[in-house]
Amino acid sequence: MPLDDQHAWALLRELDDPDHMEFPRGHDHTATRARFDQLASRLDQRFQCTCIVDREVQDASHHGTIVVPNAATVSGEHITVTVSNFGALAAVTLGNSGSYDEEEERELFQDTDRHRVDDELEALGYIRISEHLLWTRYDGVSDLVSYYPPEHPPTWWTRFFDYL
């Protein structure tokens, strides 16, 4: 289950380090990869499928992405789990990130699928952040905004779940 908005904002701002954009100070890539691989394996088992896993992420604030194929979901749409390099954050989206607004996702993302993903995230200590909260314009402490044109400003998704 995702954090409520108040706690999510507090956590995002706490993790927003102006000197460390791709991963936090003291980042343990080996431990992060081991937990990520464990999540991929657990989602394979839980959905009785082979998930598509992107482990080749570079120059990004996220570690990797796991996609549960649409054929394995009750929702009839693939599910994307993006794991950040920061604070064990995870974002879960129906389809690709940004595919559905909050109301559409609430209607289309079946509880059965949502609970299966949430259970596995929780079992491994991940903290799910609502995707819709992350699409808010980034206004944190780093100079991330200076790298984007004013007509396409970065979002909190960019800060913690995207390529930089």
Side-chain angles (χ1 to χ4, degrees):
M1 179 167 232
L3 291 176
D4 64 67
D5 287 359
Q6 180 181 0
H7 288 100
W9 279 121
L11 180 58
L12 291 173
R13 293 196 184 281
E14 177 184 325
L15 294 172
D16 189 23
D17 182 338
D19 299 322
H20 296 87
M21 296 302 295
E22 291 183 32
F23 41 84
R25 176 180 297 127
H27 178 69
D28 183 342
H29 179 79
T30 302
T32 301
R33 176 54 54 93
R35 181 165 47 172
F36 179 79
D37 287 344
Q38 195 174 14
L39 177 61
S41 176
R42 291 176 72 120
L43 290 173
D44 282 350
Q45 292 171 8
R46 192 69 183 260
F47 283 89
Q48 299 178 351
C49 68
T50 301
C51 294
I52 301 161
V53 182
D54 180 6
R55 295 178 177 90
E56 302 303 319
V57 177
Q58 296 180 12
D59 302 323
S61 57
H62 71 288
H63 183 79
T65 304
I66 302 167
V67 176
V68 180
N70 60 345
T73 70
V74 175
S75 301
E77 172 74 271
H78 69 272
I79 298 168
T80 305
V81 180
T82 307
V83 172
S84 178
N85 283 325
F86 289 82
L89 300 179
V92 179
T93 62
L94 183 63
N96 297 324
S97 61
S99 293
Y100 298 101
D101 67 28
E102 194 169 6
E103 186 176 314
E104 290 171 320
E105 187 169 289
R106 195 171 22 258
E107 181 181 322
L108 299 172
F109 198 165
Q110 298 297 307
D111 286 343
T112 302
D113 291 333
R114 188 183 306 272
H115 292 304
R116 289 193 278 184
V117 174
D118 285 349
D119 289 349
E120 298 310 324
L121 290 172
E122 186 176 328
L124 293 171
Y126 284 104
I127 301 166
R128 184 157 76 85
I129 301 290
S130 170
E131 172 196 17
H132 305 291
L133 187 77
L134 295 167
W135 289 115
T136 303
R137 178 183 272 195
Y138 176 75
D139 63 351
V141 297
S142 79
D143 65 348
L144 184 63
V145 173
S146 68
Y147 295 98
Y148 289 81
E151 61 274 10
H152 298 291
T155 63
W156 284 90
W157 178 274
T158 310
R159 176 64 184 94
F160 290 114
F161 292 95
D162 211 343
Y163 292 91
L164 299 172

